[in-house]
Amino acid sequence: MTEVQTQPESVVPDALTTVLLGHNAFQFTRAGVELGLFDLLERSPGTSRERIGAELGLAERSLDILLLGVTALRLVERTEEGYVNAKSISDLFTGGHWELVKAVVGFEAYVTYPGLVDFTESLRANSNIGLRRYPGDGATVYHRLSEDPELLKVFYHFMGTWSAVASKHLIKYGDFSSSRRILDVGGGDATMAMAVARAHPDVEVTVLEIPKVVELARKRVAEAGLDDRVKVVEGDIFAGDYPEGHDTVMFVHQLQIWPQDRIRVLLGHAHAVLPEGGRVLILNSMSEDNYDGPLMAALASPFFAAVAGEGGMLYSWEGYEKSLKEVGFDQVRRTRCAEAITPHGIITAVK
């Protein structure tokens, strides 16, 4: 008598399994990126198992583990001809987003993961307890990363790639028609400042950053030939000594680092330095007002809560709008960045 075996129905649904073993799911994605599997399959759809092993330099057992993971996670599909990227992966290539995905993988693997072991404790303490996992005595992870050249390189590759995507939203949806001199608070390596300067030849931009980032930003500005219109100055963004003479203050990917009371400090400094009729512009990924999504906003928030500054998150539109009004801004306006792979949005207000 022949016994017929059937695959038992799992007690734990795949969606819950992915959550419970989410760290392992990420590691398969990371391996696929770092080993070059997804790039190989995009170049050569239908690649055989044997060729994948040869191209990636993997022993048989290692290849079995990798292919089991990426196919079970539906990142890769097996066809009669061989293996191909799943549509979700292939669409990232054709949409021009693959470099961003690779940068995110590097950032999560080498910068985010160490501190997330303290995520629960960070929630209990309402502070970024995970910062203790990073060597140094800087007040934020950004200060501490500046002491580690390799991690800093990973971080700025991620931020530069992320900012390059976000800069397209800023240029498309940001209104700079009344701006002539813009202050970019915490403007990092000046990616956003240079994007605005290129798009608006009659505009000057000043980047305010911590000392260890200023040199990098100035170098990038000089290499771009924009040092006549983009200036980089060093300073403490919480000190309140913002350079004067600007009609617009811009916060890009900055306010999500801090709790709301610190956000109001920064917005208050912007309000103080602006003339009547001056504008503030906030560009961030946003949560919905009732905090039920989107998923990317939820999953990006633990880094800000446990590691980045003093405890932040991807706040809701309404959260920023309340803070703007509390420090004296008016005419608050929100603009969603349509067709973005990230939940970016822009909020503007007037003094």
Side-chain angles (χ1 to χ4, degrees):
M1 180 177 178
T2 303
E3 181 180 353
V4 178
Q5 294 185 344
T6 58
Q7 184 71 25
E9 186 174 327
S10 176
V11 175
V12 182
D14 283 354
L16 181 56
T17 298
T18 305
V19 172
L20 290 173
L21 301 180
H23 175 85
N24 300 330
F26 170 76
Q27 294 304 333
F28 278 112
T29 308
R30 172 190 172 190
V33 167
E34 294 184 349
L35 292 171
L37 172 65
F38 302 118
D39 290 281
L40 170 61
L41 298 184
E42 195 62 24
R43 291 194 310 270
S44 304
T47 301
S48 68
R49 179 184 179 282
E50 292 72 21
R51 183 184 167 195
I52 292 173
E55 291 273 351
L56 304 188
L58 295 180
E60 186 173 355
R61 183 188 63 88
S62 296
L63 181 61
D64 287 343
I65 293 171
L66 177 63
L67 292 178
L68 169 63
V70 295
T71 52
L73 288 166
R74 297 178 176 82
L75 302 174
V76 166
E77 297 174 359
R78 184 165 62 88
T79 68
E80 291 183 1
E81 291 77 20
Y83 289 86
V84 298
N85 283 330
K87 186 176 184 300
S88 58
I89 297 294
S90 187
D91 285 350
L92 292 169
F93 279 95
T94 57
H97 303 305
W98 186 243
E99 287 304 313
L100 174 61
V101 171
K102 290 166 67 174
V104 170
V105 166
F107 180 77
E108 292 296 316
Y110 300 104
V111 178
T112 299
Y113 260 63
L116 290 192
V117 70
D118 289 318
F119 177 53
T120 301
E121 188 58 33
S122 297
L123 293 179
R124 288 195 180 107
N126 195 32
S127 184
N128 58 329
I129 304 301
L131 185 63
R132 65 187 177 183
R133 305 291 173 176
Y134 303 80
D137 55 6
T140 72
V141 73
Y142 309 107
H143 290 82
R144 297 192 184 191
L145 290 178
S146 66
E147 301 173 15
D148 186 327
E150 288 304 311
L151 277 185
L152 190 65
K153 183 179 178 180
V154 172
F155 173 74
Y156 274 109
H157 174 61
F158 165 74
M159 284 305 301
T161 308
W162 188 263
S163 295
V165 173
S167 68
K168 296 177 182 177
H169 306 322
L170 181 63
I171 300 309
K172 183 174 181 178
Y173 296 102
D175 179 7
F176 296 99
S177 58
S178 62
S179 302
R180 291 299 174 266
R181 297 198 65 205
I182 301 170
L183 177 64
D184 185 5
V185 179
D189 64 0
T191 294
M192 306 304 285
M194 291 190 292
V196 173
R198 289 190 184 101
H200 302 278
D202 56 343
V203 164
E204 297 179 3
V205 188
T206 302
V207 176
L208 179 64
E209 256 298 350
I210 60 176
K212 290 185 178 179
V213 179
V214 165
E215 183 179 348
L216 170 64
R218 286 175 176 164
K219 180 181 178 182
R220 294 195 71 237
V221 169
E223 290 173 349
L226 291 169
D227 44 355
D228 59 330
R229 291 194 297 118
V230 179
K231 308 298 180 185
V232 185
V233 300
E234 63 180 60
D236 181 346
I237 65 174
F238 284 102
D241 53 350
Y242 289 3
E244 297 184 350
H246 298 88
D247 53 47
T248 304
V249 176
M250 186 166 71
F251 295 95
V252 178
H253 297 156
Q254 177 60 233
L255 301 184
Q256 60 204 20
I257 300 170
W258 313 103
Q260 284 287 2
D261 59 335
R262 298 286 272 169
I263 290 174
R264 286 189 287 273
V265 170
L266 294 175
L267 294 177
H269 292 330
H271 190 273
V273 79
L274 283 169
E276 290 295 324
R279 299 166 67 250
V280 64
L281 182 150
I282 299 168
L283 172 65
N284 267 338
S285 290
M286 307 287 188
S287 292
E288 296 302 331
D289 290 341
N290 52 9
Y291 285 113
D292 62 354
L295 182 60
M296 184 173 288
L299 298 185
S301 288
F303 170 73
F304 298 105
V307 178
E310 296 175 5
M313 66 174 292
L314 297 190
Y315 293 101
S316 70
W317 300 82
E318 187 178 52
Y320 289 121
E321 291 163 352
K322 286 181 178 178
S323 291
L324 284 164
K325 291 175 181 177
E326 283 188 29
V327 301
F329 283 103
D330 198 2
Q331 301 178 43
V332 181
R333 177 184 176 186
R334 62 171 74 176
T335 303
R336 292 180 183 270
C337 299
E339 301 176 358
I341 67 168
T342 55
H344 271 88
I346 294 174
I347 298 178
T348 58
V350 178
K351 179 175 176 179

